[in-house]
Amino acid sequence: FDLVIFDEASQCFAERGIPALYRGKQALVAGDAMQLKPGDLYQTRWQEIDETDPDTEIDSLLDLSSRYLMNVQLLGHYRSKSLELIDFSNQHFYGGDLQLLPDMKAMNQGEPSIQYERIEGNWENNLNLPEADYIATLIDQLIKADASKEIGVITFNAPQQFAVLDTIENTLGNIPKNVFVKNIENVQGDERDIIIFSVGYAPDKNGNVRAQFGSLNLAGGENRLNVAVSRAREKVIVVTSFWPEQLHVEETVNEGPKKIKKYLQFAQSVSKGTFEPYTHQQEGKRVVRNLKSEIKKWAAEKWP
């Protein structure tokens, strides 16, 4: 081929992409290192670590390519219509470098783009049925208010996903075509007008929440959170059974649970109306180009 293009290369194992690279005169490898890594669940993969070759330690084609190919970072964000919806990812995953032109109508609507809905739920057998029931009722209300809106529900595990699907079907009679319900492992690449999170976990009898969030507790698990919180175009509704301060993450080894607590704190601040956009300070660089001086410079060169 004249050109070989890889998309979502962060999820492609390097050894599966290399043969296609050999078939192209040119290659473009696109992906986001802050999103999901390759997953080998239910797949057979032969692994042999050559300690003399550091490239064998790399899993994804994206990471391997970044060592040898020219890197260009795309900074424009086009999905979310308001700053609140992308600010957390921008601050905690992209160093504040993302650029967003907010939608004027969304900015002037007078209500927060993230709602924090705390309910009296309980966590039993990896399920929070009160949350599932609440979400089904919420979806019914949203569809009645505007049937054109696309809605996505994201859960933190598969049992909660199926529980939400069952309650929606029982409440509405079917799963509407404009609604999806997925767990956090399967939402990369998706986007919806409204995203609803079913956090699921609930406090114990002492009011504490254990920092056990499945795959989010693993090394790199925070990338799953980044994917999940950046799916919405217009609104995010966080449905949870606890307040952020009830989640204790001080003893956790990896970043996933810590990032979850920070996101819940962020979502609560947006919901309360106390959100302030993150400002990235760039030392030695001008954040905004002075258009007037650029025009003068161009005019001086053209008409000396």
Side-chain angles (χ1 to χ4, degrees):
F1 301 97
D2 295 314
L3 175 65
V4 173
I5 300 175
F6 289 90
D7 190 21
E8 300 285 10
S10 70
Q11 294 188 79
C12 176
F13 281 112
E15 68 271 17
R16 293 177 183 161
I18 289 175
L21 286 177
Y22 276 103
R23 294 173 177 264
K25 298 176 182 178
Q26 290 183 303
L28 189 152
V29 182
D32 187 345
M34 293 294 103
Q35 295 195 5
L36 296 187
K37 304 295 183 183
D40 54 3
L41 191 64
Y42 308 124
Q43 300 182 43
T44 302
R45 188 183 183 215
W46 178 71
Q47 291 180 295
E48 180 177 324
I49 302 298
D50 181 356
E51 295 181 356
T52 65
D53 186 355
D55 286 344
T56 60
E57 300 174 0
I58 293 176
D59 281 333
S60 79
L61 179 65
L62 181 67
D63 289 341
L64 180 64
S65 301
S66 67
R67 292 191 173 191
Y68 299 101
L69 303 181
M70 177 183 67
N71 283 271
V72 178
Q73 180 158 357
L74 303 179
L75 302 178
H77 177 81
Y78 303 99
R79 174 179 297 134
S80 302
K81 293 184 177 181
S82 62
L83 292 171
E84 295 98 322
L85 295 176
I86 195 59
D87 190 85
F88 183 84
S89 290
N90 194 17
Q91 179 180 349
H92 291 279
F93 292 93
Y94 301 107
D97 290 330
L98 294 183
Q99 300 169 3
L100 169 68
L101 183 63
D103 181 83
M104 184 178 67
K105 184 177 179 181
M107 294 293 288
N108 294 329
Q109 66 182 354
E111 63 180 49
S113 297
I114 301 178
Q115 289 179 215
Y116 194 101
E117 301 282 345
R118 194 266 185 187
I119 70 164
E120 294 294 334
N122 56 74
W123 182 249
E124 295 181 5
N125 300 320
N126 290 323
L127 295 174
N128 190 327
L129 292 178
E131 275 191 22
D133 291 335
Y134 185 90
I135 288 171
T137 302
L138 181 59
I139 289 175
D140 187 31
Q141 294 171 351
L142 291 170
I143 291 176
K144 288 177 179 176
D146 189 344
S148 67
K149 296 297 183 184
E150 294 182 329
I151 303 169
V153 181
I154 300 175
T155 68
F156 280 59
N157 67 4
Q160 185 69 7
Q161 174 192 5
F162 296 128
V164 172
L165 283 168
D166 288 342
T167 55
I168 293 174
E169 193 163 9
N170 290 337
T171 302
L172 279 71
N174 67 324
I175 305 298
K177 293 182 179 180
N178 63 333
V179 175
F180 78 61
V181 181
K182 297 184 178 182
N183 68 47
I184 202 167
E185 304 287 340
N186 300 310
V187 294
Q188 183 158 319
D190 286 314
E191 61 179 67
R192 287 294 186 270
D193 297 313
I194 301 170
I195 290 291
I196 302 171
F197 289 116
S198 177
V199 178
Y201 306 94
D204 59 21
K205 61 181 180 180
N206 297 318
N208 297 316
V209 181
R210 296 181 61 193
Q212 299 295 327
F213 294 94
S215 60
L216 274 79
N217 282 66
L218 303 175
E222 65 274 13
N223 285 21
R224 292 172 170 82
L225 181 67
N226 179 40
V227 171
V229 303
S230 57
R231 301 298 98 195
R233 303 186 193 110
E234 299 177 6
K235 194 178 191 68
V236 166
I237 303 174
V238 179
V239 179
T240 178
S241 302
F242 61 89
W243 299 112
E245 57 269 21
Q246 293 177 273
L247 178 58
H248 300 288
V249 297
E250 297 79 12
E251 303 299 323
T252 58
V253 176
N254 296 317
E255 280 296 308
K258 295 181 174 69
K259 286 286 198 298
I260 291 172
K261 181 171 183 175
K262 288 180 180 178
Y263 180 74
L264 293 176
Q265 291 171 328
F266 169 80
Q268 190 179 27
S269 72
V270 175
S271 187
K272 287 181 176 179
T274 59
F275 164 76
E276 293 184 5
Y278 171 72
T279 302
H280 180 44
Q281 301 294 331
Q282 292 182 316
E283 296 183 5
K285 294 184 179 180
R286 299 170 66 183
V287 179
V288 180
R289 178 175 295 181
N290 188 322
L291 182 59
K292 184 177 180 180
S293 64
E294 290 295 317
I295 293 175
K296 285 184 176 180
K297 180 181 176 181
W298 173 81
E301 294 175 350
K302 188 170 182 65
W303 299 293

